[in-house]
Amino acid sequence: MRWLTLILAALLLSLQWPQWFGKGSWLRVWQLDKQLVAQRASNEQLLARNQALTAEVRDLKVGTDAIEERARNELGMIRQGEVFFQLLDPANTPHR
């Protein structure tokens, strides 16, 4: 009787092994679920970035305000007839 119980227990464990530790096991499903959640979060961030870039491209194609802002900030350009004042922070200027 004892041998029969051991054989049945071994058979039960051999049948359960693939379900818990095999290729399509519960542990693998949990790992893939965690990866899916992380990938969805990454996709959301990339989608927001792509939407911002699309809006910027649309502004550059249609409006002149974005082009003017970039010219002023990145290239230091000013309009004809404008006066440019640069204010220096006294704390950052070297003393002679």
Side-chain angles (χ1 to χ4, degrees), residues 1 6 8 22-23 25 37 45 48-50 56 78 85 87:
M1 189 69 160
L6 290 176
L8 289 176
K23 187 175 182 179
S25 68
V37 169
Q45 291 174 346
R49 185 196 70 172
N50 287 347
E56 186 175 349
I78 59 172
F85 293 98
L87 302 176

Side-chain angles (χ1 to χ4, degrees), residues 13-36:
L13 286 175
S14 67
L15 290 174
Q16 289 290 317
W17 184 265
Q19 183 178 3
W20 289 100
F21 302 107
K23 187 175 182 179
S25 68
W26 291 107
L27 295 175
R28 181 73 175 138
V29 170
W30 290 330
Q31 290 172 349
L32 290 175
D33 189 46
K34 287 180 184 178
Q35 289 177 359
L36 180 64

Side-chain angles (χ1 to χ4, degrees), residues 47-61:
L47 181 64
R49 185 196 70 172
N50 287 347
Q51 289 173 345
L53 289 173
T54 301
E56 186 175 349
V57 167
R58 189 178 329 111
D59 285 345
L60 288 172
K61 284 183 179 180

